[in-house]
């Protein structure tokens, strides 16, 4: 199998390494807006570097992996669809609903496949939680608590391009809440704080956010996120039902210290970031994409899932700005 990869930044380089090692990938062609960076990644992996995206698409490819800057995602998805190629794309498809819908329409018109990079769906803990909920082990689910805490904020230049904390960060929680519970979010009430570094206020973003989500069966979900958690990278989900409760993301590296007298000590090596915490999940999602391209498995995360999660994020951003509950159906 011959795969083209577009974008060789942090996540793109990681994906390139995974694909280069995959037994079903016979050759890998990479391209980047910075040709020298693409050449460096290709040289380290024994892959081929294309001078630009057009040159990459000129190769006889079986599939495309898109890990470029967010602003280019929708155009590249449509270009892959127009070439009849299945594509894997990092989230988001686009930063707004119309852009996302346009890209999805191009995929539908071409009859190709688009798999989205919501890696938490491939994490062992989240998969076990999904099974626990679906099997009835927890009884009637009544409360979910989701948290995503980054150890340090991104560069100031990234914030205006990110879409904001709800679209850039909490969208992962919104997606995995839908996936684990099997329910849809019908209403949100969200707020945020821009206290701290001035770059958040200057970009119109917030550094910390909280949202209360109501699911279509009445289950209540709280989702919080922050850009600066000095203890380390912390991603967890707690699910409480009438029979039992469970937690995802609690292990000996969770950056959380109990002050109870007989509790375990603080973690000696807390998670440092998303690539370390979710490395196995990133590998699993690309393996699933390879199997999808080979016709061996169905699409595990169709592009339309990105639209559903984005609508929740859009509703949260509207709720934050307008200081009111927002029904997701208000988002086009």
């Amino acid at each position: 199998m011959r795969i083209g990869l577009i974008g060789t930044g942090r996540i793109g380089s990681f994906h390139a390494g995974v694909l280069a090692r995959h037994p079903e990938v016979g050759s890998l062609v990479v391209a980047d807006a910075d040709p020298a960076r693409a050449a460096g990644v290709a040289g380290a992996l024994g892959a081929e570097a294309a001078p630009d995206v057009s040159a990459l698409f000129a190769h006889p490819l079986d599939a495309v992996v898109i890990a470029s800057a967010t602003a280019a995602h929708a155009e590249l998805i449509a270009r892959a669809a127009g070439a009849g190629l299945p594509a894997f794309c990092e989230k988001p498809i686009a930063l707004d609903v119309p852009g996302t819908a346009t890209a999805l329409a191009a995929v539908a018109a071409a009859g190709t496949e688009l798999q989205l990079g919501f890696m938490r769906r491939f994490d062992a803990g989240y998969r076990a939680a999904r099974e626990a909920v679906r099997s009835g082990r927890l009884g009637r689910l009544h409360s979910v608590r989701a948290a995503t805490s980054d150890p340090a904020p991104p560069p100031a230049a990234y914030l205006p391009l990110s879409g904001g904390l709800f679209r850039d960060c909490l969208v992962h929680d919104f997606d995995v809440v839908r996936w684990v519970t099997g329910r849809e979010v019908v209403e949100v009430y969200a707020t945020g704080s821009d206290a701290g570094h001035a770059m958040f206020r200057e970009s119109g973003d917030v550094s910390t956010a909280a949202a209360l989500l109501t699911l279509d069966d009445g289950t209540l979900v709280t989702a919080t996120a922050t850009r600066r958690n000095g203890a380390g990278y912390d991603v967890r989900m707690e699910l409480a039902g009438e029979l039992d409760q469970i937690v995802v993301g609690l292990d000996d590296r969770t950056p959380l210290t109990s002050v109870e007298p007989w509790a375990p000590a603080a973690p000696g090596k807390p998670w440092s970031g998303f690539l370390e915490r979710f490395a196995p999940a990133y590998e699993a999602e690309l393996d699933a994409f390879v199997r999808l391209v080979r016709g061996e498995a169905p699409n595990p995360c169709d592009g339309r899932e990105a639209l559903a999660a984005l609508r929740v994020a859009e509703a949260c951003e509207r709720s934050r700005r307008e200081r009111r509950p927002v029904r997701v159906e208000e988002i086009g």
Side-chain angles (χ1 to χ4, degrees), residues 236-259:
R236 279 176 287 123
M237 172 184 273
E238 300 172 13
L239 300 106
E242 293 182 340
L243 299 179
D244 198 2
Q245 63 178 348
I246 57 175
V247 59
V248 179
L250 182 61
D251 56 29
D252 61 0
R253 298 191 64 183
T254 303
L256 189 68
T257 303
S258 173
V259 296

Side-chain angles (χ1 to χ4, degrees), residues 50-122:
D52 53 40
V53 172
S54 294
L56 180 139
F57 274 104
H59 283 76
L61 301 174
D62 296 299
V64 174
V65 171
I66 300 168
S68 62
T70 294
H73 286 185
E75 177 188 354
L76 291 172
I77 288 169
R79 191 165 182 177
L85 295 172
F88 172 95
C89 185
E90 278 299 325
K91 67 84 186 170
I93 292 175
L95 291 178
D96 57 23
V97 169
T100 301
T102 298
L104 291 176
V107 173
T112 55
E113 295 280 5
L114 172 63
Q115 180 182 329
L116 251 291
F118 282 126
M119 77 291 187
R120 295 188 194 180
R121 293 180 177 221
F122 298 86

Side-chain angles (χ1 to χ4, degrees), residues 1-2 34 36-37 83 108 130 155 167 170-171 176 181 250-251 267 273-274 300 311 320:
M1 180 183 299
R2 188 175 181 86
D34 180 350
R37 183 166 67 180
R130 186 176 193 265
R167 299 184 191 93
L170 275 165
V171 72
V176 85
T181 65
L250 182 61
D251 56 29
F274 64 91
R311 291 179 70 224
R320 179 182 78 86

Side-chain angles (χ1 to χ4, degrees), residues 123-135 137-147 173 175-183 215 217 219-222 235-250:
D123 176 73
Y126 284 105
R127 296 178 79 86
R130 186 176 193 265
E131 175 58 29
V133 171
R134 304 299 181 90
S135 69
R137 170 185 156 189
L138 306 185
R140 186 187 70 85
L141 189 67
H142 53 74
S143 304
V144 179
R145 293 174 286 275
D173 296 274
D175 174 71
V176 85
V177 162
R178 295 179 58 250
W179 185 73
V180 167
T181 65
R183 314 303 307 193
L215 304 187
D217 64 347
T219 300
L220 297 180
V221 179
T222 57
V235 171
R236 279 176 287 123
M237 172 184 273
E238 300 172 13
L239 300 106
E242 293 182 340
L243 299 179
D244 198 2
Q245 63 178 348
I246 57 175
V247 59
V248 179
L250 182 61

